[in-house]
Amino acid sequence: MDILPHLASEEKKVQETLNEMLQQAAIDIQNCNTANDILNAKAKYLGKKSLLNSLYSRLRELQPEDRPAFGAQINEARQKIEAALSIREKDIKTAAWQNSATIQRDATLPGYANERGSLHPIKIIQREIERIFMSMGFEIAEGFDIEDEFHNFDALNTPADHPSRNLADTFYVEGGRLLRTQTSTVQIRVMEAYPPPIKIISPGRCYRNDKPDPSHSPVFHQVEALVVDKGISMSDLVDTLQIFATIMFGKDVKTRIRPHFFPFTEPSAEMDISCVVCAGQGCRMCKHSGWLEMGGAGMVDPNVFKMLGIDPELYSGFAFGLGIDRIALLRYGIPDMRILFENDIRMLRQFRGDSL
Amino acid sequence: MKIAVSWLKQYIDLPGTISELCDALTFSGIEVEGVKSLAALPDTVITAYVQEASPLPDSDHLKLCKIDIGTHKLADPSILDSSGMLQVVCGASNCASGMKVILALPGTDLGEIKIKSAKIRGTKSHGMLCSESELGISEDHSGIISLPEDTPVGISPNAILGLPDTILELEITPNRSDLLGYYGIATDLSASLNEPIKPIHIEDIGLPKSSLGLSVRIDDYQSCPRYTAQVFEGIKVEQSPLWLRLALGKSGIRSINNIVDITNYVLLATGQPLHAFDYDLLQKSDPADQAPFIIVRKARNEEIILALDGIQYNLDCNDLVIADGQRATAIAGVMGGEETGVSTQTKSIVLETAAFNPSAIRRTSYKHKVSSDSSYRFERHLSPWALDKAQSLARNLICELGSPEAISEVIDIHTTHQDRRILGIRPCRFKRLIGFELSDDEIRAYLGKLGLEFISFGDYQADVSDIAQIHCHHAEEARAGKTEFTEAPDCIHSHFYWIPFQRVDLEREVDLIEELARLAGYDKVPHKLPVPKIMDRHGYSIRTNLEDYMVSSGYYEVYNYSFEDPTRIKALGFREDDQIVNLINLINPQSANQSSMRSTLLPSLLGNLSYNLNHGERDLKLFEMAKVYLRTGQAIDERMILCGVSTGTASPEHWLHKTKALDYFHIKGLVEQILDLIGLTMLSKKPIDKPYLVSSTGYSYRSDNKEIASFGMMRPDMLESYEIDTITLKQDVWTFEFDVQAISELTKETSTGYTNISKYPSVVRDLSLLLRNEHSYETLRQAILEVDPLIIEQLRVFDEYRSDKLPDGYRSISLHLFLRDTQKTLTEERIERLVDSVLKNLETKLEVIMR
């Protein structure tokens, strides 16, 4: 069908034809629903056999001066179609990924995650203690669980007839050795092997012949701290304790030391922190004293230094021991020490968040 | 900044080697970024005289020269012509009869250029007349070097050229504007090397006073605190003498003419930029004026100036300019204007020596993207009161090299004159901040060498009030009531010094402390803290990493007593002589079932498994990281072991992802991934053989025949005593173990290192193969990898199946082959060839059939 018999003379008619074509194109493009529909529409309106294309090829029939005006009309129509196609194409694409991304299932069903386990609460606390002391420049030293009497008692200035050496208090193994009753043994091992300055902590297992009950266990965990250098004073001890307690229990916690006796420290002290349960007001946890016992401490006894060949006139040092399990009980509100060694998975599961 | 050592030596004796000089500079805070040696010229480079230079026929620029080489003995005297002259063709435009030049004789090797006798346009030429660039002295190749008229002929020019020499490239920190000239660097070196500084010699000049007038005005003292100008009348602008051209050339500055060269020379020597205007081109603001004007003012908006770099700059009212009566003649502190620049026509000049506000210069330089040696220095803050030496030096040089008939007084316009700053320093404060002590004498000596003038000793507090009327930082602080001093009442003994103007960076006591520490040497700072020596950090991180890995794999850590029931250990079925059953027993156990130190963690863990199964838990993954206690002869070995037990599903039950029971491949994957990540890929593998494990349900991973890790399935009968009935439960119990101590020892020396990532793509080829049942995947893998382990990056099995439909005795294995070359993209042809040889290898070795 030749719709354009006389291009030049029927300019108006051409314009009408173009408008009709544009209207039809708009409808067709709007009806496109797939990428393929778009291709077909493109071929129909812009392709070789399209009206626009035939108009182009007939421009030649016009007088040169008339061509620009006609050309412009055709171009405008072409641009309109191209724009409509590209908008529709984008809509189809958007609808496609929108559709594929829509959750087809019940979106309230539970998600999937890899299973995670947990560290044991004692390990969580031990790691935290290690981190705190390492940030203060302490190194971690290792010791032995099975010790000799020298390192567990003699070198720690414990008299030969001291009751703590009894079978009722200390486990002995065949061959005259014993299970260390405290991590203080590592103090001796480290000072034997390294000259001062020394700044270590030593976490580890200790053993005492106690029957298991809510606050006792024959196997328990301690962390020992030892600092030896020129000019170390009790002031370093109280500072270190306060820094540790502040990071471990929060900035409101108070610390104190009070006189006590240990064979290997002189002066000796017990360390307390203000009760973290009642903030020092007095409660069952702190036996209404407002304070919780943290462990023993003191300035290294000159006898201990002498036995290890360190000049007590030149060097001084402090040491203290903290109960890791005790801190774990306190921190997590676990009422009985035996729970820690039962390894009930329902207990362990509660600490997954702290093992992340 | 480029500096020539020969020039530096004019101001200070440098007895050491160049490398010692570089060390002295670096350790006093002046980083040496590059060292370039200018070698002495060979014997075949000599001074010579151009007897005659005539145009070479057939050439528009070449000249035919007759060269007199004096008494120099040639290796080949036959190249001399009959009159004893050497014929050389030269293309330099400045080549002329009567010149003293430098001649490179045939046979000379100048690195890039090798000189030979040659024919040029049919004319013999025996050598080359040299420019500075050809001799490697500078970039200047505009003409051949012209030597002073009194230079002897036929000798080595090394002494005249200052060769050998060394050019240092220095990085000056932005606070040290005083180091932006040779003399500043020499001063600093004099303090760090303890060598006296040689002062710059300045004489009074007895020249007639010029009658040429000049008016100078500063409109903005904020931007220009001081401006000096001096008029030199009746000067000769000509080429600079050789020494001046060489001095500039070695420092990377091109020679222009004697006046411009002098301003650049003084800039390099003192760090103070100067500028010269052509006096006769400066305009009056009104024809009725007596004299031309110099006005330091802000530019007018859209004021235009054509600068010496040939670029036209459109200025605005934020830019500072030097103007004459009519127009801007220079962008202040940055660049002079083309219209008033000094040229060979210039008869009289105005020499500008001024100081500009650093931020004003920085702003203009940044805005117009123009930087110069001058702006670089002004931006770093030059004191207005330190420019006089540069002014005098320039004046002397102009009088010497420009032969003025008369000179004017120095016109000096400035803001209120400032006195030098006074600073105090307390030796005890130095000790406290730096950590070592300097005596009073040492402090005085170091600071004296830097040009700080000692005033007196005194008490910190007392003296600041005595001299409170002068500009003393401490005095101001004291008056402001700052309590800095009361903290250290014992630390009041002080030195007080006048600070030289050029040291704009010295403002506080702590600045002096830095100077002293730097000069005494940072290497003298004592170490105080102990070096860590005790902790086994590697062992610690192996242990915690393994724990974390287990947790992230879904395992729960348990803590058990170190005690064990000896009957439970014996029930595992070890031989009587096995270390594991040679138990360490307690003398006073609390009960019989806690009477031994455990030699294995397994019974405790099985106990935990049993406990939890009894409490209705079906899916359990447990591990313990603890010591076992072994007897090794008389000694006791406490070893850290990681042991795990697991049963039930591999992953938690989920509605979407069907879960599977834990099986051999789960545990194998876990164990081998740990070994792989930790770097233990070279362990030997043996099928597991333990009395309590089902045989061949796992592996033992060994190094030097010692077990490092193992895994396997628990024998159901071994579990009966733990009341674990795997048959009824319909689930297997798996266990694995790592010798953490052994692992940490084996991996002590290994460290993770980065491998460059290949930028070439990898190619994947899939192989579907039929493998004989008796051949393992491992042998197949080896047989594939050995073909080209560099290109075959990875193998990944994606299918394995057996079927009656397959040939008898065969099973099917499908795998992805990942190929990559780190050097280039793999071509299709190369891949084809590689896959062919893989298949061929498999066929011959393993009777593999390609599907």
Side-chain angles (χ1 to χ4, degrees):
Chain A
M1 178 184 73
D2 194 352
I3 52 164
L4 300 162
H6 308 295
L7 262 184
S9 57
E10 299 185 47
E11 188 180 332
K12 224 173 183 178
K13 199 175 170 193
V14 172
Q15 186 61 55
E16 269 169 30
T17 317
L18 276 176
N19 283 342
E20 271 169 33
M21 187 268 289
L22 279 173
Q23 275 173 23
Q24 186 56 43
I27 294 164
D28 284 357
I29 291 169
Q30 207 49 47
N31 287 337
C32 286
N33 285 318
T34 65
N36 209 36
D37 292 351
I38 293 282
L39 282 179
N40 291 338
K42 231 178 228 175
K44 181 173 174 192
Y45 290 103
L46 302 174
K48 269 190 185 148
K49 291 178 183 165
S50 67
L51 174 66
L52 280 175
N53 210 41
S54 61
L55 282 174
Y56 268 124
S57 52
R58 295 186 59 181
L59 271 180
R60 231 172 291 119
E61 297 169 12
L62 295 175
Q63 294 299 317
E65 63 270 24
D66 292 334
R67 286 179 198 168
F70 270 102
Q73 275 182 35
I74 299 168
N75 266 336
E76 198 187 330
R78 180 180 193 88
Q79 278 162 14
K80 278 181 182 161
I81 293 172
E82 276 172 349
L85 276 168
S86 112
I87 289 168
R88 186 63 195 151
E89 191 171 15
K90 189 159 185 258
D91 286 349
I92 291 171
K93 273 189 188 160
T94 307
W97 57 250
Q98 192 102 41
N99 192 44
S100 77
T102 303
I103 310 301
Q104 306 293 341
R105 310 239 193 181
D106 176 354
T108 65
L109 280 167
Y112 183 85
N114 280 330
E115 188 191 13
R116 280 190 67 92
S118 167
L119 291 176
H120 191 277
I122 297 176
K123 180 66 61 58
I124 295 170
I125 297 298
Q126 182 179 323
R127 286 228 197 144
E128 193 166 337
I129 294 172
E130 287 167 352
R131 265 201 299 268
I132 293 171
F133 281 101
M134 282 198 275
S135 77
M136 286 194 264
F138 282 76
E139 295 183 77
I140 296 176
E142 317 269 342
F144 300 110
D145 290 17
I146 302 176
E147 264 293 2
D148 50 36
E149 286 209 47
F150 174 76
H151 288 95
N152 198 66
F153 291 123
D154 304 344
L156 289 164
N157 207 25
T158 314
D161 55 356
H162 195 272
S164 66
R165 299 198 187 216
N166 287 346
L167 285 171
D169 284 339
T170 301
F171 288 112
Y172 285 83
V173 300
E174 300 155 333
R177 280 187 254 219
L178 50 79
L179 302 188
R180 66 174 175 191
T181 59
Q182 59 210 353
T183 40
S184 307
T185 53
V186 185
Q187 285 186 29
I188 308 301
R189 296 256 171 214
V190 167
M191 286 191 280
E192 279 172 341
Y194 301 97
I198 290 165
K199 194 171 180 184
I200 54 124
I201 57 162
S202 180
R205 280 195 165 191
C206 300
Y207 306 82
R208 279 180 206 172
N209 203 346
D210 293 324
K211 288 283 173 216
D213 71 17
S215 54
H216 291 91
S217 168
V219 178
F220 61 99
H221 298 83
Q222 264 196 350
V223 60
E224 184 80 5
L226 171 71
V227 176
V228 181
D229 202 351
K230 291 170 185 163
I232 296 294
S233 71
M234 214 144 169
S235 151
D236 297 295
L237 167 64
V238 293
D239 276 352
T240 307
L241 177 65
Q242 181 64 53
I243 292 168
F244 165 74
T246 303
I247 302 175
M248 189 81 204
F249 299 106
K251 62 178 164 36
D252 294 327
V253 82
K254 288 191 262 302
T255 58
R256 70 174 187 190
I257 54 171
R258 59 198 155 76
H260 198 72
F261 170 76
F262 299 106
F264 44 97
T265 47
E266 193 71 41
S268 300
E270 279 284 353
M271 307 181 292
D272 298 335
I273 62 164
S274 55
C275 181
V276 293
V277 178
C278 61
Q281 299 305 299
C283 66
R284 233 181 42 191
M285 180 68 96
C286 60
K287 300 187 187 105
H288 301 282
S289 69
W291 295 93
L292 296 167
E293 266 183 44
M294 274 292 110
M299 303 307 290
V300 179
D301 194 295
N303 284 343
V304 173
F305 279 144
K306 272 188 220 159
M307 228 175 308
L308 297 162
I310 295 170
D311 182 355
E313 288 298 315
L314 211 53
Y315 288 99
S316 53
F318 71 80
F320 63 75
L322 300 164
I324 301 175
D325 322 66
R326 246 185 91 68
I327 296 175
L329 297 188
L330 203 60
R331 171 66 154 272
Y332 292 120
I334 299 171
D336 191 320
M337 196 147 166
R338 288 170 295 192
I339 293 173
L340 292 176
F341 296 97
E342 245 168 29
N343 299 306
D344 192 313
I345 195 134
R346 292 164 296 179
M347 181 274 287
L348 297 171
R349 252 183 220 130
Q350 299 176 28
F351 303 101
R352 286 189 294 180
D354 277 12
S355 312
L356 279 177
Chain B
M1 189 171 70
K2 266 186 183 173
I3 67 158
V5 173
S6 58
W7 188 346
L8 196 60
K9 281 181 172 168
Q10 292 178 21
Y11 304 132
I12 183 169
D13 286 330
L14 297 170
T17 62
I18 291 298
S19 111
E20 283 165 350
L21 172 63
C22 292
D23 280 354
L25 288 165
T26 301
F27 290 106
S28 65
I30 304 170
E31 201 178 323
V32 180
E33 290 187 315
V35 178
K36 185 185 167 204
S37 297
L38 301 181
L41 297 170
D43 294 343
T44 50
V45 179
I46 56 169
T47 59
Y49 178 68
V50 183
Q51 180 90 23
E52 192 190 321
S54 51
L56 187 71
D58 303 336
S59 164
D60 55 349
H61 70 288
L62 294 176
K63 292 186 185 99
L64 180 61
C65 306
K66 301 273 179 210
I67 306 290
D68 180 358
I69 59 168
T71 55
H72 184 81
K73 293 270 181 295
L74 286 175
D76 176 14
S78 70
I79 57 176
L80 290 175
D81 68 9
S82 51
S83 56
M85 295 287 133
L86 202 61
Q87 181 168 300
V88 172
V89 175
C90 177
S93 59
N94 66 333
C95 176
S97 305
M99 249 176 121
K100 291 277 176 72
V101 293
I102 293 174
L103 169 68
L105 290 164
T108 307
D109 183 353
L110 291 173
E112 283 172 27
I113 314 165
K114 303 203 175 15
I115 314 295
K116 285 183 297 206
S117 289
K119 257 190 183 171
I120 298 171
R121 303 261 165 106
T123 306
K124 278 263 178 190
S125 177
H126 302 289
M128 180 179 76
L129 304 184
C130 303
S131 70
E132 287 177 30
S133 115
E134 282 149 356
L135 294 177
I137 300 169
S138 78
E139 308 291 311
D140 189 356
H141 50 80
S142 60
I144 54 172
I145 296 174
S146 167
L147 298 174
E149 282 172 21
D150 55 356
T151 309
V153 169
I155 61 165
S156 163
N158 278 334
I160 305 164
L161 298 176
L163 294 177
D165 201 351
T166 306
I167 310 298
L168 303 178
E169 180 78 38
L170 302 182
E171 192 205 330
I172 308 296
T173 55
N175 59 327
R176 294 295 303 273
S177 62
D178 65 300
L179 295 179
L180 295 173
Y182 278 91
Y183 198 74
I185 289 169
T187 305
D188 213 67
L189 277 172
S190 101
S192 55
L193 294 175
N194 195 22
E195 286 284 338
I197 183 98
K198 303 176 194 167
I200 294 179
H201 195 61
I202 288 163
E203 284 171 49
D204 277 341
I205 303 289
L207 273 177
K209 191 174 173 319
S210 167
S211 58
L212 298 177
L214 181 72
S215 306
V216 178
R217 195 179 82 212
I218 298 175
D219 282 357
D220 181 356
Y221 283 104
Q222 192 71 38
S223 304
C224 175
R226 189 173 179 203
Y227 194 96
T228 74
Q230 190 167 24
V231 180
F232 296 76
E233 184 180 348
I235 52 147
K236 285 198 203 76
V237 179
E238 57 190 11
Q239 195 189 37
S240 294
L242 182 66
W243 69 264
L244 181 51
R245 280 183 286 132
L246 283 173
L248 296 181
K250 285 179 181 176
S251 298
I253 291 183
R254 206 159 58 88
S255 172
I256 310 285
N257 59 46
N258 54 351
I259 301 302
V260 174
D261 287 358
I262 286 167
T263 60
N264 282 329
Y265 178 88
V266 174
L267 171 137
L268 290 175
T270 65
Q272 170 70 42
L274 305 96
H275 183 65
F277 296 101
D278 186 326
Y279 176 87
D280 297 310
L281 299 174
L282 293 177
Q283 298 177 6
K284 300 172 180 177
S285 65
D286 188 303
D289 286 342
Q290 292 280 310
F293 257 105
I294 280 186
I295 307 165
V296 186
R297 60 163 167 84
K298 285 286 164 67
R300 290 185 277 270
N301 276 330
E302 293 176 27
E303 188 163 10
I304 284 167
I305 182 167
L306 179 64
L308 283 167
D309 59 5
I311 297 170
Q312 190 164 303
Y313 294 93
N314 294 306
L315 307 174
D316 65 34
C317 62
N318 290 315
D319 297 315
L320 192 71
V321 295
I322 314 299
D324 62 12
Q326 302 295 332
R327 64 202 157 152
T329 55
I331 308 170
V334 180
M335 199 169 282
E338 179 69 35
E339 289 175 23
T340 54
V342 174
S343 70
T344 42
Q345 271 78 55
T346 301
K347 296 281 176 294
S348 301
I349 60 160
V350 175
L351 177 71
E352 164 199 297
T353 316
F356 301 105
N357 179 296
S359 36
I361 302 302
R362 201 175 303 129
R363 206 184 308 123
T364 293
S365 167
Y366 179 80
K367 190 172 69 191
H368 298 292
K369 300 185 178 62
V370 51
S371 178
S372 63
D373 286 322
S374 164
S375 67
Y376 180 82
R377 284 166 175 79
F378 282 125
E379 279 174 22
R380 280 158 180 74
H381 193 187
L382 301 174
S383 166
W385 319 113
L387 56 74
D388 303 81
K389 186 180 281 177
Q391 206 282 336
S392 313
L393 178 61
R395 179 201 64 203
N396 280 19
L397 286 167
I398 293 170
C399 291
E400 190 186 323
L401 304 178
S403 328
E405 288 153 9
I407 63 175
S408 78
E409 293 290 318
V410 177
I411 305 165
D412 186 353
I413 312 289
H414 55 76
T415 55
T416 325
H417 190 79
Q418 300 234 321
D419 213 332
R420 279 179 297 170
R421 187 184 283 123
I422 288 177
L423 287 182
I425 175 170
R426 293 164 290 173
C428 68
R429 189 86 189 136
F430 176 86
K431 162 103 203 306
R432 223 173 269 178
L433 197 63
I434 307 300
F436 63 94
E437 241 167 305
L438 284 181
S439 70
D440 281 344
D441 289 346
E442 286 171 307
I443 292 175
R444 273 184 77 166
Y446 278 128
L447 296 181
K449 287 262 162 40
L450 285 180
L452 275 67
E453 206 177 304
F454 177 73
I455 303 170
S456 70
F457 290 119
D459 283 356
Y460 210 80
Q461 277 169 298
D463 282 57
V464 283
S465 56
D466 287 351
I467 48 178
Q469 76 279 14
I470 47 184
H471 282 266
C472 171
H473 193 79
H474 300 320
E476 281 160 17
E477 283 199 353
R479 269 186 264 121
K482 295 200 180 153
T483 55
E484 185 192 337
F485 316 128
T486 56
E487 281 173 31
D490 57 326
C491 190
I492 54 174
H493 170 68
S494 309
H495 298 222
F496 291 93
Y497 294 89
W498 293 105
I499 307 301
F501 285 121
Q502 57 268 29
R503 293 305 304 269
V504 289
D505 57 319
L506 300 182
E507 295 183 303
R508 298 160 301 162
E509 180 188 26
V510 70
D511 297 328
L512 295 188
I513 290 175
E514 182 193 42
E515 290 300 288
L516 289 168
R518 173 175 80 81
L519 294 170
Y522 282 4
D523 56 337
K524 292 201 181 63
V525 175
H527 292 271
K528 262 171 69 178
L529 293 178
V531 177
K533 58 193 169 187
I534 298 168
M535 182 172 176
D536 171 13
R537 279 165 210 278
H538 175 70
Y540 184 80
S541 64
I542 288 278
R543 206 184 305 165
T544 49
N545 288 351
L546 283 174
E547 288 164 356
D548 292 343
Y549 183 91
M550 295 314 300
V551 169
S552 66
S553 301
Y555 280 74
Y556 288 87
E557 186 184 26
V558 297
Y559 264 50
N560 289 295
Y561 285 177
S562 313
F563 310 132
E564 187 50 86
D565 184 344
T567 57
R568 289 214 296 193
I569 294 178
K570 290 195 172 104
L572 291 172
F574 286 97
R575 277 166 40 168
E576 293 268 318
D577 59 349
D578 199 295
Q579 197 186 20
I580 290 221
V581 289
N582 190 4
L583 295 167
I584 297 160
N585 295 314
L586 294 183
I587 286 173
N588 52 339
Q590 287 187 345
S591 64
N593 60 14
Q594 293 184 1
S595 64
S596 297
M597 298 303 286
R598 55 182 174 169
S599 55
T600 161
L601 306 182
L602 186 58
S604 320
L605 279 157
L606 292 173
N608 302 142
L609 202 65
S610 165
Y611 172 97
N612 282 296
L613 285 167
N614 285 338
H615 284 81
E617 297 288 334
R618 292 289 301 267
D619 304 319
L620 290 159
K621 293 177 176 176
L622 306 175
F623 80 98
E624 184 165 14
M625 172 77 81
K627 281 175 173 177
V628 297
Y629 308 86
L630 303 168
R631 225 188 259 287
T632 51
Q634 280 304 297
I636 290 170
D637 184 14
E638 298 185 5
R639 288 188 91 71
M640 190 59 77
I641 298 290
L642 167 64
C643 184
V645 294
S646 48
T647 187
T649 56
S651 51
E653 199 172 14
H654 192 261
W655 59 273
L656 186 57
H657 304 275
K658 289 293 162 245
T659 55
K660 282 206 266 179
L662 273 173
D663 63 17
Y664 169 85
F665 291 106
H666 280 116
I667 309 296
K668 185 188 185 200
L670 176 88
V671 172
E672 292 194 349
Q673 182 169 56
I674 289 177
L675 295 174
D676 192 34
L677 293 179
I678 240 165
L680 291 175
T681 45
M682 304 311 281
L683 299 177
S684 63
K685 273 157 83 167
K686 263 177 60 179
I688 197 76
D689 176 26
K690 287 188 195 238
Y692 53 88
L693 298 178
V694 181
S695 65
S696 297
T697 55
Y699 277 108
S700 167
Y701 300 84
R702 311 174 82 84
S703 164
D704 277 343
N705 211 30
K706 268 177 60 191
E707 185 171 285
I708 306 301
S710 65
F711 75 93
M713 190 209 283
M714 284 299 298
R715 285 169 60 131
D717 54 346
M718 282 288 168
L719 296 169
E720 280 166 15
S721 60
Y722 295 89
E723 293 168 22
I724 301 172
D725 182 355
T726 56
I727 312 295
T728 318
L729 283 171
K730 291 198 186 106
Q731 54 192 53
D732 302 322
V733 173
W734 292 88
T735 180
F736 54 87
E737 196 174 273
F738 292 89
D739 185 333
V740 179
Q741 198 155 323
I743 286 175
S744 126
E745 279 156 20
L746 280 174
T747 54
K748 207 155 234 161
E749 305 301 326
T750 59
S751 60
T752 306
Y754 174 75
T755 311
N756 277 322
I757 293 165
S758 172
K759 50 178 185 279
Y760 302 100
S762 88
V763 178
V764 187
R765 282 288 178 276
D766 289 355
L767 300 180
S768 264
L769 309 165
L770 294 179
L771 182 65
R772 295 196 71 85
N773 287 337
E774 66 266 29
H775 289 145
S776 69
Y777 166 71
E778 185 58 29
T779 53
L780 174 77
R781 197 177 76 94
Q782 299 289 356
I784 294 174
L785 282 177
E786 73 190 12
V787 173
D788 195 340
L790 291 177
I791 304 292
I792 304 174
E793 194 176 46
Q794 209 196 121
L795 294 184
R796 205 182 290 160
V797 186
F798 65 90
D799 193 37
E800 200 255 13
Y801 81 99
R802 290 157 202 261
S803 158
D804 300 343
K805 295 183 182 113
L806 296 178
D808 202 23
Y810 276 95
R811 63 196 155 119
S812 156
I813 282 194
S814 307
L815 38 84
H816 301 304
L817 208 55
F818 292 81
L819 310 172
R820 193 200 299 271
D821 191 339
T822 52
Q823 308 300 325
K824 52 185 178 291
T825 305
L826 284 171
T827 60
E828 201 55 41
E829 193 194 340
R830 183 123 180 267
I831 298 165
E832 217 53 41
R833 252 188 295 134
L834 185 75
V835 172
D836 277 351
S837 26
V838 164
L839 293 175
K840 207 155 287 166
N841 198 42
L842 293 180
E843 213 175 320
T844 42
K845 276 202 166 156
L846 301 173
E847 299 168 64
V848 162
I849 302 169
M850 176 75 180
R851 292 194 70 198

